[in-house]
Amino acid sequence: MKQKSTHVKPALGLPEFIALMALMTSLVALSIDAMLPALDAIGTAMGAKDIHESHLIVSLFFGGMAVGQLFFGPYCDTRGRREAIILGLVIFAVGTVVCMLADDMQTMLIGRVIQAFGVSGPRIASTAVIRDQFAGEAMARVMSFIMMVFILVPMLAPMVGQWVLNIASWFHIFTLFLLVAVFTGAWFWIRQPETLPPSRRKPFSWAQFFRSSMFIITHKPVIGPTLAMGCVFGGFLAYLSASQTIFQGFYGVGEMFSYIFATLAFSIGLASFINSKIVMRLGMYRVTQVALIGSVVFSVIFLGIIEMFDGLPPLVVTIGSLFIGFFFVGLLFGNLNAIAMHPLGDMAGLGAAIIGSLSSIIAVLVATTVDSYLTVDLFPIGAGFLVFFTLAFIIIRLSLQRPEKTA
């Protein structure tokens, strides 16, 4: 049944609203990418057995988000957006304090999982706040502005982390997280009213949860892109978790790491921008197919280059290859998620949480498996790209013959 519009009138001016929403959605990227220059220092301080334990500081963050999304997806529909965002920020702050007080790697990882669980609140509920106030082209316009800010964060966050390391220590990267969380929560609480009135809230239903879960698991046009998204993101997460080891450990680039990381992050941002320009004309299915073929071809060539240089190509060759490969990855992130969401219809909210959680769990398993083989060269990363990008391509070919009607 067609429903009338329930959008509320925006309470904030557009510039302030965009800045606030961009800050909340960017907290995830800040919490991950600002940590990258400090992974070795934290591993040493926490008595890590090897580099792989340090990589878990990044990869397990996504595991915590997988659980957090399942909780905060229904929570923000049941209890309102403000409560979900403030609760999430409080949990994030608690996790940050746990990390600051940690004296061993186990405690540090527990703190990171708590952080990730908490940050899922503002991540999910902020999108709901936008949806509550804007529709159609207006929402697309707001999201495009927010994405312009969001793209900058992965580029700048490692530089911020390196700057903190230079003037203080890794401990104060967590101090920065705490200050940002407190500032964001105060700004949101003072300035942004609730956008989901009690009359529109829906009580959590286990029946709806299982219905959405079964629909996702049993429908190839949903589970296929979800699995493919997990494979693609898993291959990328293996690189992300190990990026500091690769560039500062293998290549010895020192403080240039943050600039190299920013360059490669720009490739994904550029792909997202171009995708926004071409997807309406070419369609998300066609763009996805082309991007999957491109990612497989890239992984074959990249693994060949690694073999040619006995595991460690020249730095400029590695950066150039990854820049091209990550462009295809950038095209896939948004489109695979949109394809998976397409058949969900009225179960979109809970379905999005389930899809996000399932793909994140797959990605963490893929990344930790790939990174466990990383020792002195890039063979595991290249092989991981080839295996899981190819697997994603096969899954999409088997699961998507044509678009399916929404549920």
Side-chain angles (χ1 to χ4, degrees):
M1 184 174 70
K2 188 175 181 179
Q3 297 179 340
K4 65 180 181 179
S5 174
T6 55
H7 291 89
V8 299
K9 183 179 179 180
L12 301 182
L14 190 60
E16 181 183 359
F17 181 76
I18 289 171
L20 177 58
M21 294 300 107
L23 181 59
M24 283 199 290
T25 56
S26 299
L27 193 55
V28 174
L30 178 66
S31 302
I32 296 165
D33 297 332
M35 296 293 299
L36 296 176
L39 291 183
D40 278 356
I42 294 174
T44 300
M46 297 294 110
K49 300 182 183 68
D50 52 40
I51 59 172
H52 305 123
E53 276 200 330
S54 298
H55 296 169
L56 292 176
I57 292 172
V58 173
S59 56
L60 283 187
F61 193 89
F62 290 94
M65 284 189 61
V67 180
Q69 288 177 89
L70 282 178
F71 175 80
F72 281 107
Y75 190 92
C76 74
D77 288 337
T78 303
R79 303 296 297 269
R81 317 311 190 196
R82 276 165 64 90
E83 187 170 324
I85 288 172
I86 296 302
L87 176 61
L89 288 171
V90 168
I91 295 173
F92 175 81
V94 170
T96 302
V97 172
V98 171
C99 292
M100 295 170 76
L101 298 177
D103 57 5
D104 58 65
M105 185 58 74
Q106 290 73 25
T107 306
M108 173 63 68
L109 295 178
I110 290 171
R112 288 290 283 172
V113 171
I114 295 172
Q115 272 191 313
F117 184 96
V119 84
S120 301
R123 169 79 176 264
I124 287 181
S126 61
T127 303
V129 169
I130 298 167
R131 188 178 65 239
D132 290 340
Q133 299 179 90
F134 299 93
E137 293 178 351
M139 182 175 179
R141 177 169 175 256
V142 171
M143 290 302 296
S144 66
F145 284 129
I146 291 174
M147 284 305 298
M148 288 173 62
V149 178
F150 181 79
I151 287 168
L152 293 175
V153 175
M155 296 174 62
L156 299 179
M159 299 181 192
V160 173
Q162 187 65 59
W163 176 74
V164 173
L165 280 177
N166 289 343
I167 65 171
S169 70
W170 62 264
F171 179 90
H172 291 292
I173 295 178
F174 291 106
T175 304
L176 174 65
F177 295 161
L178 196 59
L179 292 174
V180 172
V182 171
F183 174 76
T184 303
W187 184 5
F188 176 81
W189 185 258
I190 293 169
R191 296 290 295 158
Q192 177 61 57
E194 177 61 64
T195 59
L196 186 69
S199 60
R200 287 175 48 207
R201 297 176 189 178
K202 300 177 181 179
F204 176 75
S205 167
W206 281 108
Q208 181 62 39
F209 178 84
F210 287 119
R211 178 170 175 258
S212 298
S213 299
M214 290 305 298
F215 189 89
I216 290 169
I217 293 171
T218 59
H219 282 67
K220 289 196 297 183
V222 181
I223 190 63
T226 301
L227 295 175
M229 190 161 36
C231 290
V232 171
F233 184 47
F236 177 77
L237 181 57
Y239 152 78
L240 183 65
S241 302
S243 58
Q244 192 253 4
T245 297
I246 291 170
F247 291 114
Q248 290 188 326
F250 296 172
Y251 285 103
V253 299
E255 294 184 11
M256 284 298 296
F257 164 68
S258 58
Y259 299 99
I260 294 171
F261 188 89
T263 300
L264 295 176
F266 174 74
S267 176
I268 295 177
L270 179 63
S272 299
F273 174 78
I274 292 177
N275 184 66
S276 69
K277 300 296 183 182
I278 66 174
V279 70
M280 294 300 293
R281 180 161 50 90
L282 300 179
M284 59 185 176
Y285 295 91
R286 183 180 297 178
V287 174
T288 298
Q289 292 285 359
V290 172
L292 282 169
I293 292 171
S295 65
V296 172
V297 171
F298 149 74
S299 60
V300 171
I301 294 174
F302 186 52
L303 192 58
I305 291 172
I306 294 172
E307 174 69 30
M308 184 186 307
F309 289 98
D310 296 323
L312 206 61
L315 179 61
V316 66
V317 175
T318 296
I319 294 173
S321 300
L322 291 176
F323 189 93
I324 294 171
F326 290 168
F327 180 85
F328 295 114
V329 171
L331 292 176
L332 289 170
F333 280 156
N335 287 320
L336 283 173
N337 187 66
I339 291 171
M341 289 292 296
H342 176 74
L344 294 182
D346 290 339
M347 60 180 73
L350 187 56
I354 296 171
I355 287 173
S357 297
L358 181 57
S359 60
S360 294
I361 291 170
I362 293 170
V364 170
L365 293 174
V366 169
T368 52
T369 300
V370 172
D371 281 347
S372 67
Y373 293 96
L374 190 71
T375 54
V376 295
D377 57 42
L378 297 182
F379 275 116
I381 298 296
F385 286 157
L386 179 59
V387 170
F388 292 103
F389 290 174
T390 302
L391 187 57
F393 173 78
I394 294 171
I395 290 170
I396 291 298
R397 290 299 297 267
L398 293 177
S399 61
L400 295 181
Q401 280 102 29
R402 59 182 180 275
E404 181 172 300
K405 294 192 299 181
T406 57

